[in-house]
Amino acid sequence: MKKLFFLIFCLIISGCQSRQSLYTEKQQEILRDADVLDYAENSCEQVTTLQMMLDEGAFEKEYIEDYCRMELTSSKHVNFLLDQGLNDEDVIGFSTIPYFRDENITRYLEADGSYEERVLKVNMNMDLEPFETTSYVSDFSDMTLLVNKFNALPEGYVPDDMVDVKYVCVQGVDYSCTTMDQVVLRQEAEEAFERFVESALEEKGISIVAIAAYRSYQYQKDLYNYYLPIYGQERTDQYYARPGQSEHNSGLAVDITFDHIRYTDIESHEAYPWILENMHRFGFILRYPEDKQKITRYGYESWHLRYVGVEAATTMYENNWCLEEYLARK
Ligand SMILES: [Zn+2]
C-alpha cells in the first residue's frame, strides 16, 4: 500500500523517480553549500557551462543564472566580464578569446571588428597613438621582449651578457660600416648569428656581416637629444627612437649586409629571399617588414634583424606574424 502511494506520488510530481543527479558528488557539494542545488538540478539550461565553472573553481553563486543561460567554452574571464555588466553576446564573444586581457576591457569595447580582431588590435596598441602609453620591459631573460613605441627598456639598461660579434663589417670595405670600435650582442643572439652567417655561406654562398648591433641607452639618448631641438619632436620621433625604445638598446638586434653591398640594396640581391626564408631556423626575424608598418609603427627595414629564439621565430615565420602580432596572442 505504501509502495503504491509512493508510485502515484511520483507520477504526479514527475522526475522524482530515483533520478540521477546532473552533477558529480563534488559539484553537488558546492551547489548545496551555496544553496542552489535545487535550482541547478531543475532550472539550469546550460548544465555543461555550470559544470565547467564548478570544476575549474570559478563558480560564483551570484552568477549562477548567467552560467545556466549561456553556452560557454572557457571559464576564464567569465566572472570578470559579468562584473562589467556586459550583455550575453559580449560575455560569450570575449570569453572565447584566449588572449583577452582584463585590463584592456574598456578599449576592447571601444574598438571595432570581431571579438578576436578587437582583442588583437588593442593588445598591439593599434588603437593608440605612438608614445601614448609606455610599459617597461622587466623580464630580460625573455628573448621575445618587446621594445617599440609603447614598450621601453628601463633607463640606463645595459645587458649583462654581451659578447663580441664574430662576423662584423670592415670599415672602408663594407658600405655603411659604422665607426663603433666594438660590435656586441647578447651571447645567445651572437651564437645564433654565427650559426646563421656560417649556414648562409655554406648553403647560399653569401658572406653576411653585422653593420650595427648593440647601441647603448646613453648613445640613443644623446642622439635623440641632439636632433630634438633641430627637428622638433614630431620629426625627431619619425627618424630616431627615443632612449630605451631602440631595439638596438636590447642587444638582440643586428643590422646586416652581405658581400660588401650597400645595406639598403640587399633586398634586391638574388640571395635575399634565402635570408627571409631561413633566418627563423636560427632564431631571427625581420623586425620591420614592409607589410606590417601599421603594426610596428616603423618604416620597412630590410636589414634590421631581431633575435627572438628559434621557436618564436619559427612560429612567426609560419604564420607571417611580426613580433607584435605574436605577443598579442600570448
Ligand atoms: Zn637596426
Side-chain angles (χ1 to χ4, degrees):
M1 188 62 198
K2 246 184 190 173
K3 251 185 188 169
L4 187 69
F5 182 79
F6 184 69
L7 198 68
I8 293 163
F9 182 78
C10 277
L11 283 172
I12 296 165
I13 303 171
S14 69
C16 88
Q17 52 268 60
S18 65
R19 196 179 80 170
Q20 284 264 313
S21 172
L22 298 164
Y23 305 93
T24 64
E25 289 289 329
K26 208 180 154 200
Q27 291 167 347
Q28 286 180 57
E29 201 182 303
I30 302 167
L31 293 166
R32 199 177 294 116
D33 285 350
D35 211 18
V36 288
L37 181 57
D38 205 49
Y39 176 86
E41 294 282 13
N42 300 304
S43 311
C44 190
E45 249 179 78
Q46 300 294 341
V47 172
T48 50
T49 297
L50 179 56
Q51 287 169 334
M52 175 183 71
M53 297 307 288
L54 290 162
D55 290 346
E56 294 176 15
F59 172 78
E60 277 181 29
K61 183 187 172 177
E62 61 174 308
Y63 293 133
I64 185 163
E65 287 179 30
D66 301 285
Y67 307 147
C68 284
R69 195 176 59 244
M70 287 185 270
E71 191 181 347
L72 299 171
T73 50
S74 165
S75 69
K76 274 188 205 157
H77 311 290
V78 169
N79 295 328
F80 170 80
L81 292 163
L82 289 168
D83 287 342
Q84 306 301 307
L86 299 185
N87 62 41
D88 290 9
E89 196 186 339
D90 283 349
V91 174
I92 294 166
F94 284 125
S95 71
T96 58
I97 312 299
Y99 24 89
F100 175 93
R101 298 173 190 165
D102 290 357
E103 69 271 22
N104 289 341
I105 183 64
T106 316
R107 291 163 60 197
Y108 293 148
L109 291 170
E110 283 167 6
D112 48 36
S114 68
Y115 290 101
E116 181 169 28
E117 283 164 352
R118 287 150 79 180
V119 169
L120 284 174
K121 261 190 218 171
V122 171
N123 286 2
M124 296 189 288
N125 289 321
M126 289 179 75
D127 59 328
L128 302 180
E129 291 301 317
F131 315 112
E132 207 175 317
T133 167
T134 306
S135 302
Y136 289 88
V137 176
S138 56
D139 182 5
F140 303 103
S141 66
D142 181 2
M143 292 296 140
T144 66
L145 62 83
L146 184 61
V147 178
N148 63 14
K149 289 173 180 173
F150 302 98
N151 294 271
L153 294 159
E155 189 172 351
Y157 171 71
V158 180
D160 59 7
D161 54 354
M162 290 193 292
V163 294
D164 287 340
V165 176
K166 188 173 173 186
Y167 299 104
V168 291
C169 60
V170 178
Q171 275 181 61
V173 177
D174 293 297
Y175 182 90
S176 73
C177 193
T178 60
T179 52
M180 284 185 297
D181 45 13
Q182 210 189 7
V183 179
V184 293
L185 280 174
R186 288 183 64 184
Q187 189 171 357
E188 189 178 323
E190 202 291 322
E191 286 168 3
F193 187 64
E194 275 185 36
R195 287 192 290 273
F196 173 49
V197 171
E198 284 160 13
S199 297
L201 184 62
E202 215 175 278
E203 295 175 28
K204 197 64 193 172
I206 52 168
S207 294
I208 297 173
V209 288
I211 55 169
Y214 169 73
R215 281 192 212 118
S216 73
Y217 186 96
Q218 194 58 45
Y219 170 91
Q220 199 65 36
K221 193 175 173 180
D222 293 344
L223 189 74
Y224 187 86
N225 289 340
Y226 175 79
Y227 287 106
L228 193 58
I230 301 170
Y231 289 156
Q233 182 98 62
E234 199 176 324
R235 259 191 91 191
T236 308
D237 278 331
Q238 202 177 335
Y239 297 107
Y240 303 95
R242 293 184 181 184
Q245 293 187 334
S246 163
E247 247 199 354
H248 287 284
N249 285 177
S250 72
L252 297 171
V254 56
D255 293 337
I256 61 155
T257 187
F258 57 85
D259 294 358
H260 314 300
I261 55 180
R262 185 201 289 247
Y263 74 106
T264 47
D265 291 342
I266 59 174
E267 63 177 304
S268 42
H269 192 284
E270 61 90 19
Y272 190 68
W274 183 91
I275 291 177
L276 291 181
E277 273 144 44
N278 289 277
M279 63 179 147
H280 67 277
R281 292 165 43 208
F282 309 91
F284 289 92
I285 56 165
L286 185 70
R287 182 65 179 91
Y288 306 117
E290 195 160 20
D291 59 340
K292 305 290 183 184
Q293 300 182 60
K294 274 188 187 151
I295 302 172
T296 63
R297 310 291 184 105
Y298 268 96
Y300 168 52
E301 291 190 3
S302 58
W303 57 88
H304 180 108
L305 311 190
R306 162 69 196 272
Y307 179 75
V308 291
V310 174
E311 206 186 314
T314 304
T315 302
M316 287 181 236
Y317 171 77
E318 285 169 353
N319 292 284
N320 187 32
W321 289 337
C322 63
L323 183 57
E324 281 84 358
E325 291 175 291
Y326 171 80
L327 294 173
R329 291 171 167 85
K330 274 189 124 180

